[in-house]
Amino acid sequence: EEAASMHFHALQEEVFGRLHIDLGSADPSLPHGMAISHLHWLAAAGSERQKSVCLGMTFALLSIDWDDSVASGYWDYMVLLRTLDVDEIVVRTLAALARRCESLNMSCRGRLVATLGDMAEGRWPNAEVVFLSLQREVHPGVSWPGFLGTLSSLMHCALKCTSWLAVDDKAVRLSFLWAVRWIRALHDPAAGEQTEVGKIEEMQRIALDLAVALWRHSPNQILKAGPAVAWALIHCRNHVGLEDACQQAFRLALSPELAQDCLDHLLASEEQEHLAFLLAVERHEERYFEWFMTRYLKTIMFGNAAGGTTLGSGTHLADVTLCALTAAESAGCPRPRLWSRLWNLAGWESRLAFLFAARKDGYGR
């Protein structure tokens, strides 16, 4: 953030300040064309200068409240970035910020999702990386302030861009799994107790529409996830539009390999890294386990202020359990005490993860 801010302020001094441009405003008299010409000229000075322009303008996109009208110059600056960004500075910066989504202020989060939607509309190369990064941070069980608004915006954005997501095999596969797990979380009876019933019903509909649309676009690509699709759909057999997906996915349930990248996508990126550490280091297991659960599944351990759990926390504990079992099997890590700790905290949904891991001979059994 400091680096991007520094590069933006340099552009303010060199370009926008001299032309008296107040970025974001809809004043039609502002000379945005001259500013863009000057930015092109600066970028032509070399690779590092080009990266500086891209980083500074990325900061401007996220930190300024842009007017929607053409007069604000927003789309002109987006085209400029699309043209200059050969080093993918915009995508890499947005992906890094997506990983810290919880720490961003709410207005910046909103602009991040809106910018991502505009990039998808413009078929920006590799913008799906940002989409997938955001999905990981907004998984069932998160409880940071404002996450429901971010989730709603992200689902609306994804639904609007399904044909774009369907072009990339990985993006359509992981987006489908993410949407389907949210369908399950949003149908949890506890969901209606924690927010407005109307809001929950709207998000249930959007999540279902997104999953159905992705399935209709790319069923074969989604089925490449193998048993992970069966796991994600295990509670969705009665949802209209997903009957065919369930029928085909459940045939794959006994396939030997669970794709680790599909399960990892159901956890936040930092959470998955900490889970890998917990599996790899057996010393001080109890301390690390309590730290992990307190950080990522606090309400499972202690309940929330109302005495219950957060939206989707049971679903998320089940995903964490299956992810841990699959990763431990791949690494050959026998961790019986860790499984006992997870079993003791598990509700019926998480115990189903143990049963799913035991669906075939080997580690799970």
Side-chain angles (χ1 to χ4, degrees):
E1 182 182 1
E2 287 182 10
S5 175
M6 179 183 71
H7 287 280
F8 171 64
H9 287 301
L11 294 179
Q12 282 276 56
E13 289 183 13
E14 272 188 271
V15 182
F16 304 113
R18 293 179 182 180
L19 295 172
H20 306 290
I21 293 176
D22 180 17
L23 283 176
S25 67
D27 185 348
S29 65
L30 294 176
H32 293 296
M34 292 179 65
I36 288 169
S37 297
H38 198 159
L39 291 170
H40 269 293
W41 181 77
L42 290 174
S47 174
E48 293 304 312
R49 202 68 173 103
Q50 189 169 338
K51 292 176 185 177
S52 173
V53 170
C54 289
L55 187 56
M57 288 309 300
T58 302
F59 181 87
L61 290 177
L62 297 181
S63 63
I64 293 171
D65 191 16
W66 293 79
D67 189 275
D68 291 336
S69 66
V70 177
S72 70
Y74 171 80
W75 287 106
D76 296 323
Y77 292 112
M78 284 290 283
V79 171
L80 170 76
L81 279 175
R82 178 75 169 75
T83 305
L84 295 179
D85 196 20
V86 294
D87 295 297
E88 298 190 346
I89 297 297
V90 178
V91 168
R92 287 156 56 193
T93 302
L94 295 185
L97 290 172
R99 286 190 57 161
R100 306 300 300 165
C101 184
E102 178 182 351
S103 303
L104 298 177
N105 65 54
M106 292 182 68
S107 59
C108 187
R109 269 188 232 143
R111 284 192 289 269
L112 175 59
V113 177
T115 302
L116 184 55
D118 294 336
M119 292 170 73
E121 192 174 327
R123 298 300 189 262
W124 201 293
N126 295 323
E128 66 276 2
V129 171
V130 188
F131 236 106
L132 297 178
S133 296
L134 267 174
Q135 288 176 5
R136 291 190 68 171
E137 305 310 315
V138 191
H139 58 72
V142 295
S143 58
W144 35 267
F147 90 89
L148 269 177
T150 303
L151 173 64
S152 178
S153 299
L154 190 57
M155 282 188 175
H156 274 102
C157 187
L159 185 58
K160 188 178 176 182
C161 305
T162 49
S163 59
W164 169 71
L165 285 171
V167 171
D168 184 86
D169 284 5
K170 181 180 179 181
V172 71
R173 188 162 58 244
L174 297 182
S175 295
F176 179 81
L177 297 176
W178 176 77
V180 167
R181 291 309 277 162
W182 264 115
I183 292 173
R184 164 60 204 148
L186 290 164
H187 279 83
D188 191 313
E193 300 171 6
Q194 296 174 41
T195 189
E196 299 173 19
V197 174
K199 180 73 171 173
I200 290 294
E201 289 176 348
E202 180 196 2
M203 293 174 67
Q204 288 171 351
R205 178 185 56 78
I206 296 168
L208 180 59
D209 288 350
L210 174 59
V212 170
L214 291 171
W215 175 258
R216 286 176 179 166
H217 268 288
S218 308
N220 294 330
Q221 287 85 342
I222 290 169
L223 288 172
K224 288 178 183 177
V229 189
W231 166 251
L233 285 166
I234 205 164
H235 302 291
C236 296
R237 64 190 73 192
N238 296 321
H239 289 287
V240 177
L242 293 177
E243 301 91 344
D244 181 53
C246 291
Q247 186 177 1
Q248 295 198 49
F250 294 155
R251 293 175 190 158
L252 303 173
L254 293 179
S255 300
E257 294 300 325
L258 253 173
Q260 189 67 52
D261 66 322
C262 293
L263 297 177
D264 288 347
H265 188 68
L266 303 176
L267 279 63
S269 52
E270 193 174 74
E271 178 184 21
Q272 186 262 321
E273 292 167 5
H274 290 156
L275 180 63
F277 179 82
L278 177 62
L279 293 172
V281 180
E282 200 161 354
R283 290 181 59 201
H284 309 300
E285 179 186 281
E286 182 177 3
R287 182 194 307 170
Y288 290 145
F289 178 77
E290 288 184 1
W291 178 87
F292 179 87
M293 293 297 294
T294 301
R295 182 176 177 89
Y296 296 109
L297 287 150
K298 188 174 183 178
T299 58
I300 292 288
M301 291 282 282
F302 308 113
N304 60 20
T309 56
T310 52
L311 178 60
S313 56
T315 301
H316 190 56
L317 179 57
D319 291 336
V320 168
T321 300
L322 187 58
C323 184
L325 285 162
T326 306
E329 180 177 14
S330 299
C333 298
R335 300 299 302 275
R337 288 180 298 178
L338 180 59
W339 309 139
S340 294
R341 295 181 199 282
L342 279 169
W343 181 269
N344 290 336
L345 285 173
W348 68 269
E349 207 170 343
S350 300
R351 294 190 175 187
L352 193 59
F354 280 98
L355 293 174
F356 194 85
R359 75 197 184 284
K360 60 184 179 66
D361 292 334
Y363 188 97
R365 292 191 183 178

